[in-house]
Amino acid sequence: MRLLSYLNRTFNGFPSSSKLLLVFSLSGGGLLAYSESQSNSPANSVEHEGLANKKKVVALGTGWASTSFLKDLDISSYDVQVVSPRNYFAFTPLLPSVTCGTVEARSIVEPIRNIIKKKNGEILFWEAECTKIDAANKKVFCRSVIESNLVGKKEFSLDYDYLVVATGAEVNTFNTPGVMEYCHFLKEVEDAQKIRRSVIDCFEKAILPELTEEERRINLHFVIVGGGPTGVEFAAELHDFVHEDLVKLYPMVKNLVRITVIQSGDHILNTYDSRISTFAEQKFARDGIDVHTGCRVLSVSDKEVNMKIKSTGENVSMPHGMVVWSTGVSTRPVIKDFMDQIGQGKRKVLATDEWLRVKGCENVYAIGDCATIDQRKIMEDIGAIFNAADKDKSGILTVEEFNDIIDDILIRYPQVELHLQNKHLSSVTQLLNDPEGNARKEIDIKVFKSALSQADSQMKSLPATAQVAAQQGTYLSSCFDKRDVAKITPEGPRRFKGTGRHYFLPFRYKHFGQFAPLGGEQAAAELPGDWVSVGRSTQWLWYSVYASKQVSWRTRVLVVSDWTRRSIFGRDSSRI
Amino acid sequence: MRLLSYLNRTFNGFPSSSKLLLVFSLSGGGLLAYSESQSNSPANSVEHEGLANKKKVVALGTGWASTSFLKDLDISSYDVQVVSPRNYFAFTPLLPSVTCGTVEARSIVEPIRNIIKKKNGEILFWEAECTKIDAANKKVFCRSVIESNLVGKKEFSLDYDYLVVATGAEVNTFNTPGVMEYCHFLKEVEDAQKIRRSVIDCFEKAILPELTEEERRINLHFVIVGGGPTGVEFAAELHDFVHEDLVKLYPMVKNLVRITVIQSGDHILNTYDSRISTFAEQKFARDGIDVHTGCRVLSVSDKEVNMKIKSTGENVSMPHGMVVWSTGVSTRPVIKDFMDQIGQGKRKVLATDEWLRVKGCENVYAIGDCATIDQRKIMEDIGAIFNAADKDKSGILTVEEFNDIIDDILIRYPQVELHLQNKHLSSVTQLLNDPEGNARKEIDIKVFKSALSQADSQMKSLPATAQVAAQQGTYLSSCFDKRDVAKITPEGPRRFKGTGRHYFLPFRYKHFGQFAPLGGEQAAAELPGDWVSVGRSTQWLWYSVYASKQVSWRTRVLVVSDWTRRSIFGRDSSRI
């Protein structure tokens, strides 16, 4: 029955295939049997709950990518296991709010078992860390992360037919000495809770008797390294926490607090629209938050941040009470080891193709921050494309032949569309115009090449955001769900180098806009059209409704109730 | 003005003093000046915010006793400082609920600064541990407990004119080997949070692949040592958490969970009415919670609890996943050191008189779990009482002379009233009846002694409960507030050994009933009259409204909202 409903869904978009649909519908049972008989039952693995004929899927991680994948995956034809050291999904865009108690940690997490138990309880979850991916033997090795005296083996291994790597990335210290030892981070829920306690510690220490005013000032100096959205949002939250709540409780030291943001670039929020960046800098200046741009941190000690001012080359050191490091991400060791195995050892980040398949490896997918899509350049395939388009092998492409192939080109090489937009061309055929702007009827390979030669410069890699990860997860689950159908009626673009079509459309990121947190109740939103200023609650609503299916009703209610609590009672300053 | 309103309040109960009241009212300003000129300004201390003529009060602790004291204290005539390693007050009766996430940790705490800032911001709080009380020099030595690299001295000392010791007690391990290393406790908020994480750890470990069923069973064996109210309530909460929430998330291991309560006495809840104790045992039997009574724990290791079965003398060991130790309290090292200084070294617990003044020490008070009241025996004073009552020094007490003194006796020696109740006597004079039950007109010292000889057997020490601590704090603050007035118009009973009256009435505990947690939504309440079965929410409401002024509206709203969340969404099982 599920298969039939799939087929229906899949074919609704293809009226011309309605005859075929009928055939499939009638033979649905047979098709299912066929696909099952196709599956290779792994020889050396223990079967779970008698799901003998199902393909084994192992997913690593419980972040945005993995949970979106699991949420939509139809497990009637897969035997799914999930491995992660975190037994919950965290709604990371609200992490900076947790640091100051605007929102409680528990309100932004959802137990992964709640997410997966909706799938009839058939997805298994193991709270463990993946220590090694053995791609050659289709195995992952795992180790429980629970540090306790509980009995039983900590290590185990899992066999897979398909592996979905969604382990995320780790903090990037750029090998700066002292960062690991003395800095706070903002990656995990625990990080945010630690920051909250440390902020209170700084205040409790600073007001103790027998400290000099200078010592009090140092303890109340909060330094944020990194002027990206996370660092800026934390600085803004901290400012609000200090000025709305803490000054009332620690009035003796309220004038000694200082917040400093250190940014290596020339502006904070430099990936955003320059108006936002300027607005944020002006707001920070009004709020008394110091912004040091053009500074590179050389080292961090327990008492000082040492940095180089790029413009003057001068080295300065800045005493601090607490440092939060928020400068981007890098690849985890287990992924580096995996990259070495599959010949990606020289790359910095794990590469996948446009279908999110790890390059150089069968049946392994990677989604979210742990990988980047290595978009194929059109110029590498330009000859093959020309040959495929040139049906009569005349060496000349007519407009008809070109039009026949252009949709597949646009799907396979999204940079072409960006190139068109960039050139302000309304139609693809305008690419073929001669230098005077007149339409050509026919083109040869040389003209074809030169028409597309600049397209590849439009390629850019996707940002490491929750939005991208969530969309990749959803995309990948839809491919898994359609796998058997797609083998028979592929939906992807034509294979220019081979024959037939790709099974699936390649992954395409839809940008739903982004938010720039500006402190207070303000945020700027990039919505279709332009940037607008909105309230912070709007940001959350937007995320909650449009961007994420992981956000349960529980989370929505809890976050709203936390906001209500805060607006009535203020933030809690108890050191727990 | 504050003094005037005090005087009004104080004297409203004494219509016969209305003339005096008028005088005081008119000379209020002068009286205030007088009391200020009386205060000895300490020579060697730094004055805070120019409160030069105020007496310095230092309070140690932020628990029930200390916060009730601070909440009601009038700080117009005191310069108050509070020292505690916890910057918040915790509503401890709900700690067992925090262990399972029925209530969130933050909902049951209130920042101490919120409580004290209501006093016009003039109470100072230091987050530090008192390391030594120097009674001879009226000084306390303190050390910051913040483990970080913040700058400035960690140690400082405070001078006091009055010291209020309310540091509470620490866990009593009875020197059982392994308890400190391998057991959880239920004293602090952090303890409850750790237990919550550990319960989840046990489940996550127990379901991992490659464990034997026996290993899974051991990891899911929760042992509670101590069958008092805290241990029993935790067992009941854990049972509900497991059976209402966790079995849905960990269905594979739901039949392997075991909860065991180990009690050295013959019954759990053995300080309660025996019906409650029996009811609790029957309910636990129905719920499948094992109760081992008459067992003494000899040692605890990372894997096992070793105990002796008292009836057979047999030693048995019990493998466990997690042990919670909840067997009573003992004296903290800093208090033991203080007791040595003031000649109380041979006692187990710090002793105060009935006015909560530490015995053997001037101007030091002790309230809450850190001390016990050493009630004066009437037989020690019997001669002095007779002499004071025998106004005409005839060696014979008339009924009139006895009646003249009996109120003071009942106030000074509360055991006499209990003795009357115990003997079912409706009037005090019946004490003086001859053996045939006939009223005597006169008695000599011998009859007087024998009439009261059994009264002292009715003395019993107060339990270490929140209710007692809170009432002591409130009582002590009222004494502090009335200090100057009481010197002129003492309100206490006659001094039988000296002349005049005691300044204040001695502390008298009013028992407002108690609750026995029985798991599920049930509790039993001892209310005036008898035990009745009530819902758990009733217990909380009762506490919140009648027993505690510390419970802010914030806490009330948060706890109710936590209950609402739980009833809608269940408890959260994320391991954070």
Side-chain angles (χ1 to χ4, degrees):
Chain A
M1 278 313 291
R2 291 203 79 136
L3 182 69
L4 289 185
S5 81
Y6 274 155
L7 290 170
N8 273 316
R9 256 187 280 145
T10 312
F11 285 97
N12 277 345
F14 298 84
S16 62
S17 318
S18 58
K19 198 175 155 195
L20 205 61
L21 169 67
L22 185 68
V23 175
F24 280 147
S25 296
L26 290 172
S27 66
L31 189 70
L32 187 65
Y34 167 78
S35 85
E36 282 181 349
S37 70
Q38 278 287 86
S39 65
N40 311 319
S41 184
N44 58 345
S45 69
V46 182
E47 299 299 332
H48 286 284
E49 300 182 8
L51 310 173
N53 291 319
K54 291 182 174 182
K55 292 278 192 185
K56 287 179 176 299
V57 176
V58 171
L60 306 179
T62 46
W64 285 92
S66 179
T67 46
S68 335
F69 171 72
L70 296 168
K71 191 111 179 175
D72 288 333
L73 187 65
D74 173 26
I75 57 165
S76 58
S77 47
Y78 297 104
D79 172 15
V80 186
Q81 299 181 71
V82 186
V83 179
S84 169
R86 292 192 329 202
N87 78 353
Y88 53 86
F89 164 74
F91 188 78
T92 46
L94 285 179
L95 267 190
S97 296
V98 172
T99 57
C100 298
T102 310
V103 168
E104 288 303 324
R106 291 206 175 266
S107 304
I108 68 159
V109 302
E110 182 73 28
I112 187 70
R113 291 170 196 282
N114 275 350
I115 297 173
I116 64 182
K117 83 174 168 179
K118 288 165 193 159
K119 304 277 183 185
N120 315 321
E122 288 169 310
I123 293 184
L124 299 175
F125 172 76
W126 315 122
E127 190 186 272
E129 197 171 32
C130 173
T131 51
K132 189 175 177 66
I133 300 169
D134 180 354
N137 297 304
K138 291 189 164 190
K139 243 183 207 306
V140 289
F141 293 88
C142 308
R143 187 175 53 221
S144 163
V145 290
I146 301 167
E147 287 165 16
S148 78
N149 301 309
L150 297 172
V151 297
K153 264 178 79 176
K154 284 173 99 79
E155 287 84 16
F156 60 93
S157 66
L158 304 172
D159 297 307
Y160 64 81
D161 297 310
Y162 300 110
L163 178 66
V164 178
V165 182
T167 53
E170 61 179 26
V171 159
N172 194 349
T173 67
F174 300 98
N175 293 320
T176 312
V179 171
M180 271 301 169
E181 296 88 333
Y182 304 114
C183 290
H184 287 270
F185 303 102
L186 253 173
K187 282 283 293 171
E188 308 286 342
V189 176
E190 285 92 342
D191 296 338
Q193 291 175 307
K194 268 187 217 153
I195 288 177
R196 182 168 177 177
R197 277 191 291 271
S198 294
V199 170
I200 302 294
D201 279 350
C202 291
F203 274 85
E204 290 292 357
K205 182 70 195 275
I207 61 154
L208 285 185
E210 307 196 14
L211 262 70
T212 64
E213 187 175 303
E214 185 52 27
E215 285 168 340
R216 295 184 208 276
R217 276 186 199 280
I218 291 173
N219 290 333
L220 291 173
H221 184 205
F222 301 93
V223 177
I224 295 114
V225 182
T230 308
V232 165
E233 187 166 358
F234 170 66
E237 281 277 354
L238 182 63
H239 174 267
D240 292 352
F241 186 28
V242 168
H243 290 273
E244 289 170 13
D245 297 287
L246 295 181
V247 293
K248 291 178 206 151
L249 298 179
Y250 305 86
M252 292 156 71
V253 294
K254 68 178 172 187
N255 296 322
L256 308 180
V257 181
R258 192 152 64 101
I259 302 172
T260 300
V261 177
I262 300 175
Q263 163 74 328
S264 62
D266 292 335
H267 293 283
I268 58 173
L269 296 179
N270 56 11
T271 59
Y272 286 62
D273 187 287
S274 66
R275 284 169 297 169
I276 299 300
S277 175
T278 307
F279 185 88
E281 283 170 358
Q282 285 168 350
K283 181 162 192 315
F284 275 18
R286 280 198 305 278
D287 286 349
I289 299 173
D290 290 343
V291 176
H292 291 257
T293 54
C295 290
R296 197 163 64 83
V297 173
L298 303 172
S299 69
V300 179
S301 76
D302 57 344
K303 304 266 192 293
E304 286 176 341
V305 176
N306 300 302
M307 57 190 184
K308 186 191 274 295
I309 300 172
K310 286 181 180 173
S311 56
T312 64
E314 196 186 348
N315 282 0
V316 291
S317 74
M318 190 183 258
H320 66 80
M322 181 178 151
V323 184
V324 174
W325 186 269
S326 168
T327 60
V329 294
S330 74
T331 304
R332 291 186 190 277
V334 63
I335 302 298
K336 276 185 190 143
D337 171 80
F338 174 54
M339 288 163 70
D340 285 338
Q341 290 175 49
I342 58 172
Q344 289 200 20
K346 286 186 182 159
R347 297 185 55 96
K348 279 197 164 177
V349 186
L350 184 65
T352 69
D353 64 17
E354 298 86 336
W355 289 267
L356 309 180
R357 298 175 297 201
V358 171
K359 289 194 164 181
C361 191
E362 281 289 297
N363 296 331
V364 181
Y365 302 81
I367 51 181
D369 291 1
C370 69
T372 51
I373 298 172
D374 193 21
Q375 171 64 46
R376 181 108 187 137
K377 292 185 177 146
I378 191 166
M379 292 314 283
E380 289 177 22
D381 297 338
I382 197 81
I385 297 169
F386 190 89
N387 288 339
D390 184 18
K391 285 183 191 158
D392 56 6
K393 305 296 168 200
S394 61
I396 296 290
L397 228 55
T398 63
V399 171
E400 289 70 34
E401 282 174 327
F402 180 75
N403 280 341
D404 195 40
I405 205 169
I406 189 61
D407 284 343
D408 289 320
I409 291 178
L410 289 176
I411 290 168
R412 182 72 184 85
Y413 308 97
Q415 61 266 44
V416 174
E417 195 161 331
L418 293 172
H419 180 57
L420 292 176
Q421 286 168 9
N422 197 41
K423 291 271 181 191
H424 304 289
L425 300 180
S426 56
S427 146
V428 198
T429 45
Q430 290 184 301
L431 272 178
L432 308 183
N433 288 357
D434 66 21
E436 286 76 42
N438 303 317
R440 288 191 175 108
K441 284 265 149 60
E442 294 179 341
I443 49 168
D444 60 12
I445 177 83
K446 212 176 127 203
V447 173
F448 188 63
K449 269 187 185 170
S450 89
L452 292 165
S453 62
Q454 288 166 54
D456 289 334
S457 67
Q458 293 298 320
M459 295 194 311
K460 50 182 176 183
S461 53
L462 296 172
T465 64
Q467 213 178 133
V468 170
Q471 288 184 26
Q472 290 183 340
T474 306
Y475 166 82
L476 191 61
S477 71
S478 77
C479 294
F480 270 68
D481 291 349
K482 292 182 293 196
R483 191 182 297 275
D484 295 320
V485 177
K487 279 179 185 161
I488 295 154
T489 53
E491 62 177 33
R494 171 201 300 233
R495 290 182 203 269
F496 294 116
K497 286 188 147 174
T499 54
R501 307 188 77 82
H502 291 279
Y503 289 159
F504 304 108
L505 292 168
F507 171 71
R508 191 72 79 85
Y509 171 60
K510 286 178 207 71
H511 186 60
F512 282 117
Q514 64 184 345
F515 282 85
L518 300 176
E521 277 301 315
Q522 278 193 302
E526 183 206 349
L527 296 176
D530 201 358
W531 285 88
V532 290
S533 176
V534 296
R536 291 290 299 283
S537 320
T538 318
Q539 171 179 0
W540 158 250
L541 193 73
W542 175 88
Y543 263 122
S544 146
V545 178
Y546 296 103
S548 163
K549 280 173 289 189
Q550 281 95 324
V551 180
S552 64
W553 278 104
R554 175 183 158 278
T555 306
R556 281 173 209 175
V557 172
L558 295 195
V559 168
V560 171
S561 108
D562 281 347
W563 278 331
T564 314
R565 288 174 175 204
R566 197 214 61 194
S567 68
I568 300 172
F569 303 113
R571 301 169 183 89
D572 182 21
S573 66
S574 306
R575 191 194 172 278
I576 60 168
Chain B
M1 278 313 289
R2 292 201 77 139
L3 183 68
L4 290 184
S5 80
Y6 273 157
L7 290 170
N8 274 317
R9 257 187 281 145
T10 312
F11 285 98
N12 276 346
F14 299 84
S16 63
S17 318
S18 57
K19 197 175 154 194
L20 206 60
L21 169 65
L22 185 67
V23 176
F24 281 147
S25 296
L26 290 172
S27 66
L31 190 72
L32 188 65
Y34 169 79
S35 84
E36 284 183 345
S37 68
Q38 280 287 85
S39 64
N40 311 320
S41 183
N44 60 344
S45 68
V46 181
E47 300 298 332
H48 285 286
E49 300 182 9
L51 310 172
N53 291 319
K54 291 181 173 183
K55 292 277 191 186
K56 288 179 177 298
V57 175
V58 172
L60 306 178
T62 46
W64 285 91
S66 179
T67 46
S68 336
F69 170 72
L70 296 169
K71 191 110 178 173
D72 288 333
L73 187 66
D74 173 26
I75 56 165
S76 58
S77 47
Y78 296 105
D79 172 15
V80 186
Q81 300 180 71
V82 185
V83 179
S84 169
R86 292 191 330 200
N87 78 354
Y88 54 87
F89 163 77
F91 188 79
T92 47
L94 285 179
L95 267 190
S97 297
V98 172
T99 58
C100 298
T102 311
V103 168
E104 287 302 326
R106 290 205 176 265
S107 303
I108 68 159
V109 302
E110 182 72 29
I112 187 70
R113 291 168 196 282
N114 275 350
I115 296 174
I116 64 181
K117 83 173 167 180
K118 288 163 193 163
K119 304 277 183 184
N120 315 322
E122 288 168 309
I123 293 184
L124 299 175
F125 171 77
W126 313 122
E127 191 185 272
E129 198 171 32
C130 173
T131 51
K132 188 174 179 66
I133 299 169
D134 181 352
N137 297 303
K138 292 190 163 186
K139 243 184 208 305
V140 290
F141 292 88
C142 309
R143 188 176 50 222
S144 163
V145 291
I146 300 167
E147 288 165 16
S148 77
N149 302 309
L150 297 173
V151 297
K153 264 179 80 176
K154 283 174 100 78
E155 288 84 15
F156 59 94
S157 67
L158 303 173
D159 298 308
Y160 64 79
D161 297 310
Y162 301 110
L163 178 66
V164 178
V165 182
T167 52
E170 61 178 28
V171 160
N172 194 348
T173 66
F174 300 99
N175 293 319
T176 312
V179 172
M180 270 301 169
E181 295 88 333
Y182 303 114
C183 290
H184 287 271
F185 303 102
L186 251 174
K187 283 281 295 169
E188 308 285 343
V189 177
E190 284 91 343
D191 295 339
Q193 291 175 308
K194 269 187 216 152
I195 288 176
R196 182 169 178 176
R197 277 192 290 271
S198 294
V199 170
I200 302 295
D201 279 349
C202 291
F203 275 85
E204 290 292 357
K205 182 71 196 271
I207 60 156
L208 284 186
E210 306 195 13
L211 264 70
T212 64
E213 186 175 304
E214 184 53 26
E215 286 169 338
R216 294 184 209 275
R217 275 186 199 280
I218 291 172
N219 289 332
L220 291 174
H221 184 204
F222 301 94
V223 178
I224 294 114
V225 182
T230 307
V232 165
E233 187 166 357
F234 171 66
E237 280 278 352
L238 182 62
H239 174 268
D240 292 352
F241 186 28
V242 168
H243 290 273
E244 288 170 13
D245 297 287
L246 295 181
V247 294
K248 292 177 206 153
L249 297 180
Y250 305 87
M252 294 157 70
V253 294
K254 68 178 172 188
N255 296 322
L256 308 180
V257 182
R258 192 152 62 100
I259 302 173
T260 300
V261 177
I262 300 176
Q263 163 74 329
S264 62
D266 291 336
H267 293 283
I268 57 172
L269 295 179
N270 56 11
T271 60
Y272 286 62
D273 187 287
S274 65
R275 287 168 297 168
I276 299 300
S277 174
T278 308
F279 184 87
E281 282 170 0
Q282 285 167 352
K283 180 162 193 314
F284 274 18
R286 282 198 306 277
D287 285 349
I289 298 174
D290 289 344
V291 177
H292 292 258
T293 54
C295 288
R296 196 163 65 82
V297 173
L298 304 173
S299 69
V300 179
S301 77
D302 58 343
K303 303 267 192 292
E304 285 176 339
V305 177
N306 299 302
M307 57 188 183
K308 184 190 275 295
I309 300 172
K310 286 180 180 174
S311 57
T312 63
E314 196 187 348
N315 283 0
V316 290
S317 74
M318 188 182 258
H320 66 80
M322 180 178 150
V323 185
V324 175
W325 187 268
S326 168
T327 60
V329 294
S330 73
T331 304
R332 291 187 190 276
V334 63
I335 302 298
K336 275 183 190 146
D337 172 79
F338 174 52
M339 289 162 70
D340 285 339
Q341 289 176 48
I342 57 171
Q344 289 200 19
K346 287 187 178 157
R347 296 185 56 96
K348 278 197 164 176
V349 186
L350 184 65
T352 70
D353 65 18
E354 298 86 336
W355 289 269
L356 309 180
R357 298 175 296 203
V358 171
K359 288 193 164 182
C361 191
E362 282 288 298
N363 296 332
V364 181
Y365 302 81
I367 51 180
D369 292 0
C370 69
T372 51
I373 297 172
D374 193 21
Q375 171 64 46
R376 181 110 186 136
K377 290 183 179 149
I378 191 166
M379 293 315 283
E380 291 177 24
D381 298 338
I382 197 80
I385 297 170
F386 190 87
N387 288 339
D390 184 19
K391 284 183 191 158
D392 54 7
K393 304 299 167 198
S394 61
I396 297 289
L397 228 53
T398 63
V399 170
E400 288 71 34
E401 282 175 327
F402 180 74
N403 279 341
D404 195 40
I405 206 169
I406 188 62
D407 284 344
D408 289 322
I409 291 178
L410 289 176
I411 291 169
R412 182 71 185 85
Y413 308 97
Q415 60 266 46
V416 174
E417 194 160 333
L418 294 172
H419 180 56
L420 292 177
Q421 285 168 9
N422 196 41
K423 291 270 182 192
H424 303 290
L425 300 180
S426 56
S427 145
V428 199
T429 46
Q430 290 182 304
L431 271 178
L432 308 182
N433 289 356
D434 65 20
E436 285 78 43
N438 302 318
R440 287 191 178 110
K441 284 267 151 55
E442 294 180 341
I443 50 168
D444 60 10
I445 178 82
K446 212 177 125 200
V447 174
F448 187 63
K449 270 188 184 169
S450 89
L452 292 164
S453 61
Q454 288 165 52
D456 287 335
S457 67
Q458 293 298 319
M459 295 193 312
K460 51 181 178 183
S461 55
L462 296 172
T465 64
Q467 212 177 133
V468 170
Q471 288 184 25
Q472 290 183 340
T474 305
Y475 165 82
L476 191 61
S477 71
S478 77
C479 294
F480 269 69
D481 291 348
K482 292 182 294 197
R483 191 182 297 275
D484 296 319
V485 177
K487 280 179 185 161
I488 295 155
T489 51
E491 62 179 32
R494 173 198 300 231
R495 291 181 203 268
F496 294 115
K497 286 188 147 175
T499 53
R501 308 188 76 82
H502 290 279
Y503 290 160
F504 305 107
L505 292 169
F507 171 71
R508 193 72 79 82
Y509 171 59
K510 287 177 208 71
H511 187 58
F512 282 115
Q514 63 182 346
F515 283 86
L518 300 177
E521 277 300 313
Q522 278 193 303
E526 184 207 350
L527 295 177
D530 202 359
W531 286 88
V532 290
S533 176
V534 296
R536 290 290 298 285
S537 319
T538 318
Q539 173 180 357
W540 157 249
L541 193 70
W542 176 87
Y543 263 121
S544 146
V545 179
Y546 296 103
S548 164
K549 280 173 290 190
Q550 281 93 324
V551 180
S552 64
W553 279 105
R554 176 183 157 277
T555 306
R556 283 174 206 172
V557 171
L558 296 195
V559 168
V560 170
S561 107
D562 281 346
W563 278 332
T564 314
R565 290 175 173 201
R566 197 214 63 195
S567 68
I568 301 172
F569 303 114
R571 300 169 183 88
D572 182 22
S573 67
S574 306
R575 192 195 172 277
I576 59 167

